[in-house]
């Protein structure tokens, strides 16, 4: 008798041959915990897709290669470097002419000309080293990110892989599909991070000669510091995931909690992309110092804490309520103002503008603050007036007593005037 499974081709043949054996065929579990079947196969496929997504996300967040020029002889960067070098030489010649016209001032002008000479040479030499330095730094960040977030199980990506295998809800297909959905959203954010970082690094590297040329004026580091901080912020942006690293061991063992932590990581990444790094370091340092000083009287410990967190004061130059958010457009205008200021060109600062909703909210807030300030004063005046009247007695009797007429006093009658003598003719 011929085998009935001969007419079946593909994966179904193996299932048919298992069914024709001595025992019953393997029936897949309805919960996807073991065996084959649609649910179990879908769960395994979701696990494989999660692994693929994690690899793709790591490659997008911290790629090895950047779009920025790698060498100064690049066709795009060479034109910017030519412009920056000629601009630095032009600025240096202008400084020399000004110092020659004001040579009667003596040593200050000679000192200015010497500083301009040294900074011009530094700027011209630094222009050629920017592409290579950025390329090496980007590769170092990519390697460190891959090693830190790919191999270590204590990181978020390593914890997700471990929980997909041995987690408490690893056998639940719904948890795997939830993680898959969260990773799809995170993949879209990773694409946004990739585009922002690549275009930003390209723009800042190409702008480097123009920024460094401002040093020829005498070493004004304002524009260079701003440019360097923004460029380093773009390069080190992937390490924003380190902010959630302390919470990874807490949620370890649950795929659902891993998904929640991944959503938090998405929010932090978006926040740092558009608004930069939050300014909370000095506040945490001062809080730690206050915590230690309030709980110990040891002079040695207090001295050590004060040495680590010294006293410093911040100058607040913004209004008490109206605070502006550093949007990309406002940040670009501020950077442009610092760059022009390093060249000696001052631009007028535009006053802050409020939208209709912001103006209404500010008016209501000011009215509420005014009412909150005046209400205690009014209440205090009323209480003081009531206390004074109570201490003085009944106000109506006091007014009546004050209006009682005084008793009449007898006055002597006035003496009549003497008679006038008759007039003689």
């Amino acid at each position: 008798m011929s085998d009935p499974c001969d007419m079946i081709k593909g994966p179904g043949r193996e299932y048919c041959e298992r069914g024709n054996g001595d025992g019953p065929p393997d029936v897949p579990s309805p919960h996807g915990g073991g065996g084959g079947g649609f649910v179990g196969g879908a769960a395994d496929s979701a696990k494989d897709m999660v692994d693929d997504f994690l690899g793709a996300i790591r490659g997008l967040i911290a790629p090895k290669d950047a779009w920025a020029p790698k060498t100064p002889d690049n066709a795009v960067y060479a034109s910017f470097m030519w412009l920056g070098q000629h601009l630095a030489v032009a600025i240096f010649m202008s400084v020399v002419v000004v110092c020659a016209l004001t040579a009667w001032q003596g040593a200050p002008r000679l000192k200015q000309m010497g500083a301009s000479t040294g900074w011009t040479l530094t700027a011209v030499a630094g222009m050629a080293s920017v592409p290579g330095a950025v390329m090496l730094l980007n590769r170092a960040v990519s390697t460190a990110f891959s090693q830190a977030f790919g191999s270590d199980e204590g990181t978020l990506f390593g914890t997700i892989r471990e929980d997909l295998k041995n987690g408490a809800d690893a056998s639940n297909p719904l948890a795997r599909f939830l993680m898959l959905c969260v990773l799809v959203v995170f993949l879209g954010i990773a694409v946004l991070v990739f585009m922002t970082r690549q275009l930003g690094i390209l723009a800042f590297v190409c702008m480097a000669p123009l920024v460094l040329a401002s040093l020829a004026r005498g070493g004004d580091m304002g524009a260079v510091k701003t440019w360097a901080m923004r460029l380093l912020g773009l390069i080190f942006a992937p390490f924003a995931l380190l902010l959630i690293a302390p919470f990874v061991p807490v949620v370890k063992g649950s795929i659902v909690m891993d998904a929640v932590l991944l959503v938090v990581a998405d929010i932090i990444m978006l926040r740092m992309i558009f608004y930069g790094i939050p300014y909370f370091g000095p506040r945490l340092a001062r809080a730690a110092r206050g915590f230690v000083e309030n709980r110990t009287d040891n002079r040695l410990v207090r001295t050590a804490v004060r040495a680590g967190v010294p006293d410093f004061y911040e100058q607040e130059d913004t209004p008490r309520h109206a605070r502006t958010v550093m949007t990309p457009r406002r940040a670009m205008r501020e950077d442009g103002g610092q760059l022009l200021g390093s060249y000696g060109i001052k631009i007028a600062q535009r006053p802050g503008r409020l939208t209709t909703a912001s103006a209404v909210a500010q008016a209501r807030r000011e009215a509420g603050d005014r009412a909150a300030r005046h209400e205690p004063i009014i209440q205090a005046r009323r209480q003081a007036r009531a206390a004074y009247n109570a201490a003085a007695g009944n106000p109506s009797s006091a007014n009546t007593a004050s209006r009682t007429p005084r008793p009449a006093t007898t006055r002597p009658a006035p003496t009549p005037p003497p008679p006038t003598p008759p007039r003689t003719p």
Side-chain angles (χ1 to χ4, degrees):
M1 182 178 179
S2 62
D3 190 357
C5 296
D6 292 340
M7 303 299 295
I8 301 177
K9 304 297 183 183
R13 179 181 177 86
E14 182 181 357
Y15 181 80
C16 180
E17 290 177 350
R18 288 203 309 267
N20 289 334
D22 296 334
D26 296 334
V27 180
S29 174
H31 301 286
F38 175 76
V39 178
D44 294 336
S45 301
K47 179 178 177 297
D48 296 337
M49 293 179 66
V50 167
D51 292 336
D52 296 339
F53 278 158
L54 290 177
I57 289 172
R58 188 172 66 249
L60 287 174
I61 292 179
K64 295 182 180 179
D65 298 327
W67 294 351
K70 298 180 180 180
T71 55
D73 57 353
N74 185 277
V76 178
Y77 188 76
S79 57
F80 284 94
M81 190 170 65
W82 178 88
L83 179 61
Q85 290 176 350
H86 285 72
L87 183 61
V89 173
I91 294 175
F92 174 69
M93 295 304 297
S94 300
V95 172
V96 170
V97 171
V98 171
C99 291
L101 294 177
T102 57
W104 54 272
Q105 294 184 1
R109 292 304 178 185
L110 292 177
K111 185 177 180 180
Q112 180 183 4
M113 189 170 62
S116 180
T117 304
W119 282 111
T120 302
L121 297 176
T122 302
V124 172
M127 293 176 189
S129 61
V130 169
V134 172
M135 180 196 65
L136 293 177
L137 188 59
N138 183 73
R139 287 186 178 179
V141 170
S142 175
T143 304
F145 183 85
S146 301
Q147 293 293 333
F149 290 89
S151 58
D152 189 6
E153 295 181 357
T155 59
L156 182 58
F157 292 165
T159 302
I160 291 175
R161 286 195 177 94
E162 183 65 23
D163 292 342
L164 286 174
K165 298 178 182 179
N166 305 320
D169 49 1
S171 60
N172 189 357
L174 183 60
R176 294 187 179 184
F177 288 135
L178 176 62
M179 177 59 66
L180 181 62
C181 295
V182 174
L183 285 177
V184 169
V185 177
F186 194 79
L187 183 62
I189 299 177
V191 173
L192 178 62
V193 173
F194 175 79
M195 295 299 296
T196 304
R197 290 185 70 246
Q198 296 295 334
L199 295 177
I201 293 175
L202 176 62
F204 276 92
V205 169
C206 292
M207 194 175 61
L210 303 181
V211 177
L212 293 176
S214 62
L215 295 176
R217 188 167 170 261
D220 189 357
M221 298 292 294
V224 178
K225 287 181 179 179
T226 304
W227 166 80
M229 292 303 296
R230 295 296 174 86
L231 180 59
L232 292 177
L234 285 172
I235 293 176
F236 288 96
F239 287 99
L241 295 175
L242 291 176
L243 297 177
I244 62 174
F247 304 97
V248 172
V250 180
V251 302
K252 187 176 182 180
S254 176
I255 299 178
V256 178
M257 295 305 298
D258 292 339
V260 174
L261 201 60
L262 199 56
V263 172
V264 175
D266 296 345
I267 298 174
I268 295 177
M269 291 286 287
L270 287 177
R271 171 65 172 80
M272 296 188 67
I273 287 173
F274 291 104
Y275 299 111
I277 301 176
Y279 184 71
F280 56 85
R283 295 181 181 178
L284 292 180
R286 282 180 289 181
R289 172 180 168 178
F291 179 82
V292 173
E293 289 182 344
N294 293 334
R295 285 164 175 78
T296 181
D297 296 332
N298 193 337
R299 296 182 58 183
L300 181 60
V301 175
R302 286 174 170 263
T303 303
V305 172
R306 291 174 183 174
V309 188
D311 293 325
F312 67 96
Y313 302 94
E314 298 178 356
Q315 183 178 2
E316 185 71 28
D317 55 355
T318 57
R320 184 164 54 95
H321 291 300
R323 295 183 180 271
T324 56
V325 180
M326 188 54 68
T327 58
R329 182 177 179 181
R330 188 177 290 114
M332 291 177 62
R333 179 174 178 82
E334 183 178 350
D335 296 344
Q338 291 185 359
L339 179 60
L340 294 177
S342 62
Y343 288 117
I345 304 174
K346 296 183 179 180
I347 60 175
Q349 297 292 336
R350 295 186 302 176
R353 298 179 181 178
L354 294 177
T355 60
T356 303
S358 300
V360 171
Q362 184 181 9
R364 291 178 178 175
R365 186 167 55 248
E366 291 179 353
D369 294 345
R370 191 181 303 110
R373 289 195 303 267
H374 291 177
E375 187 64 24
I377 299 175
I378 296 175
Q379 292 294 337
R381 289 177 178 175
R382 290 177 181 174
Q383 295 176 1
R385 191 180 297 113
Y388 176 78
N389 292 336
N394 193 0
S396 59
S397 60
N399 294 337
T400 305
S402 63
R403 294 196 187 100
T404 302
R406 297 179 181 178
T409 57
T410 56
R411 295 181 181 179
T415 56
T420 56
R423 302 176 68 180
T424 57

